[in-house]
Amino acid sequence: MSSPDFPATLDPDRIPAHVAIIMDGNGRWARAQGKDRLYGHWQGYRTLKQIVYAADEIGIRYLTVYGFSSENWRRPAEEVEGLMRLMLEAMRAEIEELMQNGIRVRVLGRLSQLPSDLRREFSDAMERTRENTRLTFNLAINYGGRAEIVDAVRHLAKDLLEGRLSPESIEEETLSARLYAPDIPDPDLLIRTAGEMRLSNFLLWETAYAEIWVTPTPWPAFTRDHLLTAIADYQRRTRKFGAVVEEDDLS
Ligand code: FPP
């Protein structure tokens, strides 16, 4: 059942359970405004806040965003430090409202390499929101898709060496159970802003069957309406998961 203000353009029974977003274009957007890159990231944070609550309101269960990739350390030190400070301040500023709205926060990535104050803030947020039951908001930070698979393989190799696994018993599930968030279903829809048509090392394993939607709009200019358009487009697609779909089913 949908509420009276549920978007009329969407089918409430086919809302993607998990939406993942590559939030790209902060720098280009800022440059076009004659501002520095960090200004773009701060505006990107404002967009992210709108999208978290919009996603929850339309019934998305999981939202995963690429906040800082393992390759982003190669940016100028000033930008990296600015992004770390932004994440720290954003987490501190948002935690109460996230709690009040029942949002569960998870942070995925190699967190041990982050500054200790940020790591502590993330751990506290995860701990405080652990029992929340509305949207699960996953922040991928110091995240790389290949690194995630490597970490899962290391875990698996340890279990093998210590006799908890045999080579013959290894299936896809054996590896997926060792990824950063094994309890979360794979993304149904992957959105990328600012027009590039690539995965950029994001959720490589998990996006095997995700529908991809790319918009030229840079992340700071992305709105709830763009999210609704992406979902409406997703709802018009036929997901095959490698199978044949008969013409009759293409209604
Ligand atoms: C890509 O734009 C964006 C990032 C590397 C950072 C994403 C971070 C935010 C949106 C702020 C999020 C806030 C929190 C709390 C996680 P880009 O800089 O690569 O843009 P460009 O391709 O135009 O240079």
Side-chain angles (χ1 to χ4, degrees):
M1 272 282 282
S2 58
S3 68
D5 50 5
F6 187 86
T9 48
L10 299 185
D11 174 352
D13 296 327
R14 292 183 53 222
I15 297 297
H18 185 174
V19 175
I21 309 183
I22 300 176
M23 309 180 290
D24 196 13
N26 294 351
R28 277 164 280 175
W29 179 86
R31 202 174 333 113
Q33 317 280 314
K35 301 278 186 4
D36 65 15
R37 298 177 57 78
L38 274 172
Y39 180 83
H41 295 316
W42 278 90
Q43 185 58 42
Y45 156 40
R46 290 190 192 95
T47 299
L48 180 56
K49 179 168 180 177
Q50 303 299 318
I51 295 305
V52 165
Y53 292 115
D56 180 50
E57 174 216 309
I58 59 184
I60 291 168
R61 303 294 305 145
Y62 305 92
L63 178 72
T64 303
V65 301
Y66 212 177
F68 190 89
S69 79
S70 37
E71 290 74 34
N72 285 156
W73 297 107
R74 297 185 200 136
R75 295 186 174 210
E78 191 190 340
E79 185 176 352
V80 170
E81 279 159 27
L83 275 166
M84 296 295 148
R85 196 170 56 247
L86 159 56
M87 290 190 275
L88 186 72
E89 290 184 22
M91 210 68 249
R92 285 184 180 153
E94 300 303 332
I95 186 68
E96 292 305 330
E97 201 172 332
L98 290 165
M99 274 306 287
Q100 279 161 19
N101 286 282
I103 310 283
R104 181 167 65 142
V105 177
R106 303 268 296 262
V107 188
L108 319 176
R110 288 187 174 163
L111 304 188
S112 62
Q113 293 162 352
L114 295 176
S116 57
D117 50 356
L118 182 58
R119 218 166 54 223
R120 206 167 325 112
E121 208 62 39
F122 282 154
S123 304
D124 288 352
M126 285 193 270
E127 192 50 43
R128 277 194 69 187
T129 62
R130 179 184 296 276
E131 306 290 333
N132 288 349
T133 56
R134 291 190 61 94
L135 176 82
T136 295
F137 171 44
N138 299 307
L139 258 170
I141 305 291
N142 192 24
Y143 174 89
R146 288 184 174 180
E148 180 181 27
I149 295 170
V150 167
D151 287 350
V153 170
R154 282 188 187 155
H155 190 166
L156 195 150
K158 192 161 183 281
D159 288 342
L160 199 79
L161 282 172
E162 293 173 2
R164 288 183 291 274
L165 264 185
S166 66
E168 303 71 38
S169 69
I170 297 173
E171 304 286 353
E172 288 185 10
E173 296 70 30
T174 325
L175 200 133
S176 50
R178 288 162 177 79
L179 295 173
Y180 295 148
D183 50 321
I184 291 175
D186 287 344
D188 303 291
L189 172 62
L190 171 70
I191 295 174
R192 181 166 186 149
T193 61
E196 312 300 346
M197 304 276 185
R198 12 170 215 276
L199 280 179
S200 299
N201 203 17
F202 189 43
L203 302 175
L204 294 183
W205 179 281
E206 297 89 336
T207 52
Y209 288 102
E211 295 294 327
I212 302 179
W213 190 84
V214 177
T215 175
T217 304
W219 178 249
F222 190 87
T223 62
R224 177 180 184 274
D225 281 347
H226 291 101
L227 178 66
L228 298 185
T229 304
I231 296 172
D233 193 18
Y234 164 88
Q235 292 188 336
R236 284 191 291 273
R237 299 190 195 177
T238 306
R239 302 187 76 194
K240 303 200 303 187
F241 300 97
V244 173
V245 175
E246 298 300 337
E247 286 293 310
D248 289 353
D249 297 335
L250 296 173
S251 52

